[in-house]
Amino acid sequence: RLQESRERLSVCSKLCYAVGGAPYQITGCALGFFLQIYLLDVAQLDPFYASIILFVGRAWDAITDPMVGFFISKTSWTRFGRLMPWIIFSTPFAVISYFLIWFVPDISRGQVMWYLVFYCIFQTLVTCFHVPYSALTMFISREQSERDSATAYRMTVEVLGTVLGTAIQGQIVGKVVTPCIESPLFIGKTNSSVAMEELNMTHDTGSLTDTRNAYMIAAGVIGGLYILCAMILSVGVREKRESSELQSDEPVSFFQGLKLVMNHGAYIKLIAGFLFTSLAFMLLEGNFALFCTYTLGFRNEFQNILLAIMLSATLTIPLWQWFLTRFGKKTAVYVGISSAIPFLIMVAVLDSNLIVTYIVAVAAGISVAAAFLLPWSMLPDVIDDFKLQHPDSHGHEAIFFSFYVFFTKFTSGVSLGISTLSLDFAGYQTRGCSQPSEVNFTLKMLVSAVPVGLILLGLVLFKLYPIDEEKRRKNKKALQDLREESNSSSESDNTELASIV
C-alpha cells in the first residue's frame, strides 16, 4: 500500500502533464485550417508553389516522427531525465520558427524557400516536443491506472487545444477584412492588364498590411501559449527513471519488429480504413476556409463556422465514448463517420445559405469527434490481438503508433498538395473578390464529392477489419489468462527458490 501511495499522481501533476499536449494541437489546428488561405491570399504565392510547400512540409513531418523516435531511444539520462531535455530545448526554437511561418518577408525572390524552410524546421521541432511528450506517459508512474488517468486528462486538454487554436487564429484574423481585387473580366482583353494594375493602385494596401499584422499577432499569442504550456509541463512533471526499468526484455530489432507489425492483417486493415476516412476530413479541413470564402460567399463568417465545427467535435467526444462502450467500436465507426455524408452533399447541392452552413458545420464536427477518438481507441485492440498471436515478441507498441501517424501525415501531405494544385489548374486568382466557376466547382469537389467518396471507401475497408466486440472480449479474456498464468509461474519459481535457500 505504501508503494502504491508513492506511485499515485496528484491531480496537479496530471493537469501539468495534460497541459503539455496543448501546443501540438493548437499549432496543428491553426496551420491545418489557415495556412493554405494564408499562402494564397496574404503571402500571395502562386497556387503551384503553395502546393509544394504544403506537400513537402507534411511529408517531412511524417518522416521526422520515426527519426526523432530513433534518436530519443539513443539518448542518455540526464539530471532532468531522458525525455524532458528534448521538450525544453526544442520549445524556444519551435516558437521562433512558427512565428516566421506567418511573417511575409520583404523580398522579391525566395519567398517560396522561406516558407518551405521554416515550415519544415517547425515540423521537426514540434516533433522533438511531441514524440518525447507522448513517450513520457510511461515514465510518470509505474501504476497502469495512474497512467490511464493521466492520459484521460491529456485527451481532454488536447481536444480543448484544437478549439483554442481555431478560436485564437480565427477570431484575431477574422477581425480584419482582407482586401480583394475585383475581376477585370468585364473589361476588354486588351486592357485587362492595365485594369488590374489600376485596381491594385487604387485599392487600400494598408488593409493587406493589417491582415498580415493580424496573422503575426495570432502567431505571437499561440507562441506564448506554447512556451507557457512547456514551462508548466517541465516544472509540474517529474520523469521517473525507475519506470523505464520495468521492461526486462531484450531490446528488439527495429526492422524485425516492423516486419512483424506490417504482416499483422488486423493492423493493415485498420490503417487502410482510417487512412481514407482521415484523408476525407483532412481535405475538408484544408479547403473549408477557401470554400466558405469564395464558393459560399461568407468571407467574414468562415472563422465562426470553423469554430462551430471544433466546438461541436469537443462537446460530442463524451457521447462517442459512451456510444462505443455501449454498441461497440465498429458500429461507432459506421454511425459516426458516415453521419457526415448527407450534410456534405447538402452543402454542395443547396444554394448558399448561412443557417444551412452552420448546421453542416455542427454535423461535420460530430463526425470529426468520431474520427478523432476511434483510431486511438481501436489501436490498443490491434496490439492485444498481436500479442496473442506473437506471445514471445515484445516491445512493438511504439511501431504500431508511430507508423499509423506516419502514413496519415504523409498521405495528408499528398492530398493537400494535390488539392492546391487542382485549384491552380482551375485558374485560382490570388486575392480575387470572386473566383471563376471552375475554381468554385473544384472547391465543391474537394469538400464534398471527394471526401464522401473517401469515407465510403474507408467504410468498405472496415468491413474487412476482423476485431469486432465478440473477438475483442475473447482477446481480453485470453490476455488476462496469460498474465495470471505468468504471475502464478513466477510465484512458484520464487517459492522454489525460497525453499532452496
Side-chain angles (χ1 to χ4, degrees):
R1 290 196 192 99
L2 182 61
Q3 181 65 28
E4 288 179 5
S5 65
R6 287 176 179 172
E7 290 293 334
R8 194 171 298 279
L9 296 172
S10 66
V11 173
C12 181
S13 295
K14 293 176 185 177
L15 284 172
C16 290
Y17 167 74
V19 164
Y24 183 78
Q25 299 298 335
I26 294 174
T27 56
C29 232
L31 289 167
F33 279 122
F34 292 92
L35 184 59
Q36 186 185 45
I37 195 170
Y38 167 80
L39 292 175
L40 294 174
D41 286 357
V42 181
Q44 302 182 59
L45 296 184
D46 185 273
F48 173 75
Y49 295 117
S51 68
I52 292 176
I53 293 169
L54 292 170
F55 165 68
V56 174
R58 294 303 289 266
W60 177 250
D61 184 24
I63 294 169
T64 56
D65 278 287
M67 283 173 55
V68 171
F70 174 78
F71 286 121
I72 288 173
S73 67
K74 302 295 183 183
T75 303
S76 301
W77 278 86
T78 68
R79 65 191 185 94
F80 299 107
R82 191 175 71 175
L83 304 173
M84 202 62 78
W86 285 81
I87 294 171
I88 294 170
F89 291 115
S90 67
T91 293
F93 301 105
V95 170
I96 293 170
S97 58
Y98 179 79
F99 181 81
L100 292 175
I101 292 173
W102 304 104
F103 175 74
V104 180
D106 188 17
I107 50 177
S108 57
R109 293 182 181 180
Q111 272 196 344
V112 175
M113 190 57 64
W114 172 282
Y115 291 112
L116 184 61
V117 167
F118 284 112
Y119 189 31
C120 289
I121 289 174
F122 172 73
Q123 296 290 13
T124 304
L125 291 168
V126 80
T127 301
C128 291
F129 181 101
H130 192 66
V131 169
Y133 170 73
S134 300
L136 191 61
T137 313
M138 302 300 296
F139 297 91
I140 56 177
S141 175
R142 288 189 288 188
E143 291 295 323
Q144 183 62 48
S145 59
E146 292 301 299
R147 294 175 186 167
D148 293 341
S149 176
T151 302
Y153 278 78
R154 169 192 165 187
M155 295 302 291
T156 304
V157 173
E158 285 190 355
V159 172
L160 292 174
T162 62
V163 177
L164 202 57
T166 309
I168 292 172
Q169 187 86 7
Q171 296 305 312
I172 292 177
V173 172
K175 297 295 182 184
V176 181
V177 179
T178 303
C180 60
I181 301 171
E182 295 289 349
S183 174
L185 296 177
F186 60 91
I187 305 176
K189 292 183 179 178
T190 56
N191 296 326
S192 61
S193 60
V194 177
M196 179 64 78
E197 188 175 347
E198 288 178 356
L199 282 167
N200 280 327
M201 292 293 292
T202 56
H203 215 282
D204 181 15
T205 56
S207 297
L208 186 58
T209 303
D210 292 341
T211 304
R212 292 174 176 176
N213 290 337
Y215 273 98
M216 285 192 288
I217 291 170
V221 173
I222 290 175
L225 284 174
Y226 194 119
I227 294 173
L228 179 63
C229 292
M231 289 174 60
I232 292 172
L233 174 67
S234 59
V235 171
V237 176
R238 188 171 67 87
E239 189 178 346
K240 299 178 181 178
R241 183 169 186 173
E242 60 270 17
S243 299
S244 67
E245 296 166 358
L246 296 174
Q247 299 292 338
S248 58
D249 298 317
E250 291 289 327
V252 293
S253 165
F254 176 80
F255 292 103
Q256 278 184 332
L258 181 61
K259 184 178 179 182
L260 281 173
V261 167
M262 291 304 168
N263 285 330
H264 189 58
Y267 181 62
I268 297 301
K269 289 163 186 171
L270 181 69
I271 278 186
F274 271 117
L275 203 58
F276 288 103
T277 54
S278 298
L279 279 177
F281 289 104
M282 286 174 186
L283 276 175
L284 186 64
E285 177 188 72
N287 295 282
F288 199 73
L290 290 172
F291 178 73
C292 288
T293 301
Y294 294 113
T295 307
L296 298 181
F298 303 135
R299 179 177 292 272
N300 299 323
E301 284 288 333
F302 77 88
Q303 72 274 6
N304 297 323
I305 297 170
L306 294 178
L307 187 57
I309 293 175
M310 301 315 299
L311 281 174
S312 172
T314 303
L315 295 174
T316 50
I317 278 185
L319 170 67
W320 289 118
Q321 184 66 44
W322 169 83
F323 190 95
L324 66 87
T325 55
R326 178 70 176 81
F327 299 101
K329 297 177 183 179
K330 282 189 79 171
T331 306
V333 167
Y334 288 120
V335 174
I337 295 178
S338 63
S339 63
I341 293 177
F343 296 97
L344 292 176
I345 295 173
M346 184 190 303
V347 77
V349 172
L350 297 180
D351 294 332
S352 175
N353 186 294
L354 188 58
I355 296 175
V356 172
T357 305
Y358 272 106
I359 293 173
V360 171
V362 172
I366 295 172
S367 287
V368 166
F372 182 85
L373 175 67
L374 289 167
W376 306 109
S377 176
M378 297 171 79
L379 267 175
D381 299 337
V382 173
I383 296 173
D384 287 345
D385 188 65
F386 177 85
K387 287 178 179 176
L388 286 173
Q389 294 188 24
H390 305 88
D392 298 326
S393 187
H394 305 281
H396 303 306
E397 291 83 358
I399 296 176
F400 279 98
F401 283 92
S402 63
F403 273 86
Y404 171 77
V405 174
F406 170 80
F407 287 123
T408 304
K409 285 182 177 179
F410 185 82
T411 50
S412 73
V414 173
S415 68
L416 282 174
I418 291 175
S419 66
T420 311
L421 205 57
S422 302
L423 294 174
D424 185 29
F425 290 143
Y428 183 87
Q429 296 180 3
T430 301
R431 285 183 60 199
C433 292
S434 60
Q435 296 293 339
S437 57
E438 293 83 0
V439 173
N440 291 326
F441 177 77
T442 303
L443 285 170
K444 281 187 178 182
M445 293 296 103
L446 291 173
V447 302
S448 179
V450 178
V452 167
L454 290 170
I455 288 172
L456 291 174
L457 183 57
L459 294 178
V460 169
L461 290 170
F462 273 118
K463 289 289 289 182
L464 306 174
Y465 177 67
I467 304 177
D468 54 14
E469 278 303 292
E470 183 180 355
K471 183 162 185 179
R472 190 178 71 83
R473 283 194 292 267
K474 287 181 179 178
N475 286 350
K476 185 178 179 180
K477 176 82 165 56
L479 277 174
Q480 188 175 356
D481 293 341
L482 276 176
R483 291 191 188 101
E484 289 175 356
E485 182 181 344
S486 175
N487 290 336
S488 62
S489 64
S490 63
E491 285 174 7
S492 63
D493 290 342
N494 291 336
T495 304
E496 184 179 350
L497 179 62
S499 63
I500 293 172
V501 173

